[in-house]
Amino acid sequence: MQRFIGVLALGVFCAAAHAEQAWIAKSNVFTNTLLDIQLQHAPEGGSRQGVVKFDPLISNPTLADELQTRHEMEAALAKIRAARATEADKKVQEDLDILVKSFDLSFRTEDFELQHEVPFDNASESVFQGLRGLLDDQVAAQRRPAAVVRLRKYAGVEPGFKPYVDILKQRALEQMAKPGVIYPAKDRIETELGRNSNYIDGIASLFKKYHLSGWEPAYAKLELQLQDYDAWVKSTLLPKARTDFR
């Protein structure tokens, strides 16, 4: 889903630059429909954009959520195509054509990845960035305690949540069970694993910097989970990783 951000951000930027033009506002309605779906399934991104309702939420990188996101996006694009057929404004037509073409390309990329690729998601980096979006000087102080809730969910200690690393493992194993799959590049895995002690230490540093309370028990669990995940990547993915980027 992150590949869609550039397309959607472009529409937001244009709107800011030309807010007085009615066609921009009309076009943005369609763009925002897609953006809303994206942020519902990637709430960390919503927090970074300042949408407070997403602050205690985390993404759910399961296959089921990926397919649900795709279903919702396709339904929204079907409505955009229908609107394009009756749209009279040529500028709006052009924007809708850009949206449809961009997402069609992204869908084809998704399909290839789902059929042929084993993902490597760097858990330590993902969790750090998810928390960093709330623990920042530019974020209002009253929003920062939501990072404790988000931390508990990543660690799987919040009722109804599995450890984030377990979901990533399951997703990789699902792909590994398919015949003839392509593994991540060895250099990429090794490079990212080499940074992870800094990410793990950085998580604790952020909570200490902003003087939050109640985060330590969840962090203690999460720290071990992230270290175990890296060990799992080294023993399970790294030996099968490809030696070039082709």
Side-chain angles (χ1 to χ4, degrees), residues 110-185:
E110 279 186 354
D111 290 340
F112 178 85
E113 291 172 351
L114 183 60
Q115 294 169 18
H116 301 292
E117 293 189 358
V118 174
F120 165 57
D121 293 297
N122 190 353
S124 296
E125 181 180 11
S126 295
V127 170
F128 175 83
Q129 296 296 349
L131 297 168
R132 186 76 173 88
L134 290 170
L135 301 179
D136 184 273
D137 291 346
Q138 298 183 48
V139 175
Q142 63 267 26
R143 294 178 58 195
R144 294 179 192 146
V148 179
V149 180
R150 188 171 276 181
L151 174 70
R152 289 176 53 82
K153 292 178 178 179
Y154 284 134
V157 299
E158 193 75 7
F161 286 82
K162 294 174 60 176
Y164 192 75
V165 297
D166 289 352
I167 299 174
L168 296 183
K169 287 180 186 178
Q170 178 183 349
R171 191 71 192 89
L173 290 170
E174 289 169 348
Q175 291 298 102
M176 291 172 66
K178 298 178 180 180
V181 290
I182 303 168
Y183 282 82

Side-chain angles (χ1 to χ4, degrees), residues 44-96:
E44 294 93 339
S47 291
R48 285 191 289 271
Q49 294 197 29
V51 185
V52 175
K53 70 177 182 178
F54 292 118
D55 288 353
L57 307 180
I58 67 170
S59 53
N60 180 29
T62 61
L63 174 60
D65 188 77
E66 180 181 338
L67 296 177
Q68 178 61 30
T69 305
R70 174 67 171 269
H71 174 75
E72 293 174 16
M73 283 288 189
E74 287 177 336
L77 281 169
K79 293 180 180 179
I80 289 174
R81 287 189 177 93
R84 169 63 176 84
T86 59
E87 178 57 54
D89 191 311
K90 291 188 179 298
K91 292 180 180 179
V92 177
Q93 289 177 2
E94 182 179 357
D95 270 9
L96 298 187

Side-chain angles (χ1 to χ4, degrees), residues 34-52:
L34 297 169
L35 180 60
D36 288 344
I37 295 171
Q38 178 183 3
L39 296 183
Q40 290 293 336
H41 293 273
E44 294 93 339
S47 291
R48 285 191 289 271
Q49 294 197 29
V51 185
V52 175

